[in-house]
Amino acid sequence: MSSSTGRLFRITTWGESHGGGVGVVVDGCPPRIAISLEQIQLELDRRRPGQSSIVTQRKESDTVDILSGVLDGLSLGTPISMVVRNEDQRSRDYDEMRDKYRPSHADYAYDEKYGIRAWSGGGRSSARETVGRVAAGAVAKAILSRFGVEIVGYVEKVHHILASVDPNTVSMVDVESNVVRCPDPQKAEEILTHIEAIRKEGNSIGGIVGCVARGVPAGWGEPVFDKLEADLGKAVLSLPACKGFEIGAGFGLTDLTGLQANDEFEADENGVVRTRSNNSGGVQGGISNGMPIVIRAAFKPTATIMMEQHTVTTEHNNTTIKGRGRHDPCVLPRAVPMVEAMVAIVLADHALRQSAMLCGTST
Ligand SMILES: Cc1cc2nc3c(=O)[nH]c(=O)nc-3n(C[C@H](O)[C@H](O)[C@H](O)COP(=O)(O)O)c2cc1C
C-alpha cells in the first residue's frame, strides 16, 4: 500500500482509525519556513469530528504534537513528524462489520486484497487517515504563502442544492461563517436543514467541494505524466469517498464550441498576460498559466447508513446489514479542509520542483 505521495515535498501518513493514533511524516519542507502549531491545530479543528450537529459525533480533540523538524516555530529542513492520538473508539459499534461487508465501503475490497482487515473503525480506509494529510497541508500552505498563494475550499453543492460561488472572490471568512462551509448563506441554510432531515432518517447524501488556488504563478507543473491537473486529480481522488474530479469547466467543456470554450489572452497596461475567461481552470498543457486554479471534487453519500441493505457475510452468504455507531450523514463540510490540504500538498511539491529546475536562473 502506498502511503506516500509527492516528489520534493513528500508526505507519508500512517495509523488506523481504532489504533493508537494517526499521523504524518513530511519530508522536503525547506528550512526556516514559519510553522505554527496553532495554524496546524486550526486546520485539524476544521476536519475534526463532533464540530457540529451535522457531522459524526465521535469525540476527538485531535490535538496535534510536532515530534520533529521544527525549532522555535521554524522548520529545520529535516523530516517533520506529527502525531494525533486516538481518544474515542467504540469498537462494539463495529461488531457486526467483523463478519459482514458494508455496501460501498472498503471492507470487502480490503479483505479480498489482504485477507485481513482492521474491521473495527475501518482502519486505513477511515477518513481518520486524513488527519495526517490535513496536518501536512498546513505545512504546505506555509510554504505556499511565501509565493503569495492562497487556497480556499468550499461546499458548492449538497445532494440537489447548488450554491452560487465565485472562485475569484470567495474568502475563508465566508466559508467558515456557517457549519456547512458553504459561502452562499441562503443555500447554506437549505443544506443544513436537508442534512438534518437526512440524518434523522438514518440516510446519507453527497455533493461537490470546490477549491480555488489564487496567486499561483505561471509555470508550475510538468508536461506529460505529471501534468498539474493529473497530479491534482490523483491527490484529490485519493481522498475517501471522492468519486469525481473536474478542473475549470471540466465536463461542461463538452457542451461548448471552441469559440465559446477558448480562454482568450489579453495583456494589461503593464504587459501582464491573463485570460478573459478561465475555462481551463488555470492550467494549460499541464502547466499553470497564472490564472486561479479552480477544481471541483464529487463526494458520494456516506456508505454507512442506519438503514437495512442487502450484503454478504465474510463466508459469502447473503444477508442484510444496518449501520450502527457515529457516522457523517454528509461528508462535505469536513471534506473541505481535506481538499484544500491535497491541493496545497501538490502545489507545494510543484513549487519546489519549479524552483529546483530554475536552480537560481531566472526566466
Ligand atoms: C470527511 C469524511 C468523512 C467520512 N465519514 C464516514 C463515515 O462516517 N462513515 C462511512 O461509512 N464512511 C465515511 N467516509 C467515507 C469512507 O471512508 C469511504 O467511503 C470508504 O473508505 C470507501 O472508500 P471509497 O468511498 O473511496 O471507495 C468519510 C469520508 C470523508 C471524506
Side-chain angles (χ1 to χ4, degrees):
M1 179 188 276
S2 168
S3 290
S4 305
T5 189
R7 291 264 179 99
L8 296 189
F9 183 79
R10 188 159 178 81
I11 73 158
T12 303
T13 72
W14 53 267
E16 278 83 31
S17 176
H18 283 192
V22 284
V24 67
V25 177
V26 179
D27 212 347
C29 178
R32 300 186 305 280
I33 301 284
I35 305 290
S36 148
L37 182 67
E38 290 71 31
Q39 195 56 37
I40 297 171
Q41 190 61 58
L42 200 133
E43 294 288 355
L44 288 171
D45 289 347
R46 297 172 71 216
R47 195 219 72 93
R48 197 168 62 81
Q51 58 183 271
S52 76
S53 63
I54 53 167
V55 305
T56 169
Q57 294 304 299
R58 185 168 163 169
K59 298 275 177 276
E60 296 281 356
S61 70
D62 281 358
T63 307
V64 66
D65 264 343
I66 301 178
L67 302 182
S68 67
V70 178
L71 180 69
D72 298 334
L74 291 179
S75 59
L76 289 166
T78 57
I80 300 173
S81 186
M82 293 180 275
V83 60
V84 165
R85 301 252 164 226
N86 293 333
E87 292 164 357
D88 182 20
Q89 307 164 9
R90 273 197 217 153
S91 297
R92 65 179 182 279
D93 287 342
Y94 288 82
D95 277 353
E96 207 184 358
M97 296 160 201
R98 184 197 283 250
D99 306 314
K100 292 180 181 178
Y101 298 127
R102 283 171 292 171
S104 282
H105 213 288
D107 308 339
Y108 170 75
Y110 267 55
D111 254 0
E112 288 295 303
K113 182 174 177 66
Y114 299 106
I116 184 170
R117 115 189 102 95
W119 54 269
S120 171
R124 293 284 288 163
S125 76
S126 163
R128 195 134 187 82
E129 178 272 334
T130 64
V131 162
R133 304 180 190 223
V134 171
V139 175
K141 282 183 179 180
I143 297 170
L144 291 169
S145 71
R146 287 268 190 106
F147 292 88
V149 173
E150 176 195 30
I151 296 171
V152 183
Y154 43 87
V155 169
E156 191 170 330
K157 188 179 178 203
V158 166
H159 205 196
H160 51 261
I161 306 170
L162 178 63
S164 163
V165 186
D166 181 354
N168 295 307
T169 57
V170 65
S171 74
M172 186 73 87
V173 174
D174 299 335
V175 173
E176 295 301 318
S177 68
N178 58 73
V179 294
V180 176
R181 295 207 165 84
C182 174
D184 176 339
Q186 201 183 328
K187 295 295 177 189
E189 277 296 317
E190 276 180 51
I191 291 170
L192 183 63
T193 309
H194 191 42
I195 298 177
E196 288 284 11
I198 290 286
R199 184 178 61 79
K200 281 188 189 124
E201 281 174 23
N203 210 344
S204 67
I205 41 178
I208 296 173
V209 169
C211 187
V212 58
R214 293 185 293 244
V216 176
W220 291 5
E222 305 280 343
V224 191
F225 296 115
D226 292 351
K227 288 171 86 174
L228 199 51
E229 65 262 69
D231 278 2
L232 286 167
K234 180 176 180 187
V236 171
L237 283 165
S238 76
L239 286 166
C242 185
K243 290 289 176 185
F245 175 84
E246 273 190 342
I247 184 156
F251 282 80
L253 281 165
T254 60
D255 294 329
L256 305 179
T257 65
L259 186 64
Q260 296 165 320
N262 288 346
D263 294 319
E264 294 179 71
F265 288 107
E266 65 179 8
D268 69 11
E269 59 279 7
N270 301 314
V272 175
V273 174
R274 44 166 287 130
T275 58
R276 288 168 183 258
S277 53
N278 191 16
N279 290 321
S280 309
V283 180
Q284 289 166 337
I287 300 168
S288 59
N289 66 358
M291 296 297 288
I293 294 177
V294 184
I295 64 114
R296 299 168 91 222
F299 286 86
K300 72 186 193 185
T302 317
T304 312
I305 55 172
M306 313 301 133
M307 298 172 119
E308 194 100 12
Q309 288 200 295
H310 294 286
T311 190
V312 293
T313 65
T314 49
E315 301 299 314
H316 295 193
N317 296 314
N318 287 314
T319 184
T320 60
I321 189 169
K322 185 175 170 179
R324 281 201 296 150
R326 301 159 295 175
H327 296 272
D328 292 273
C330 175
V331 306
L332 272 287
R334 295 180 60 218
V336 168
M338 299 176 190
V339 171
E340 285 179 11
M342 295 318 294
V343 169
I345 287 163
V346 169
L347 290 180
D349 190 39
H350 279 283
L352 299 184
R353 287 164 72 170
Q354 179 68 0
S355 301
M357 192 192 73
L358 293 177
C359 197
T361 64
S362 59
T363 49

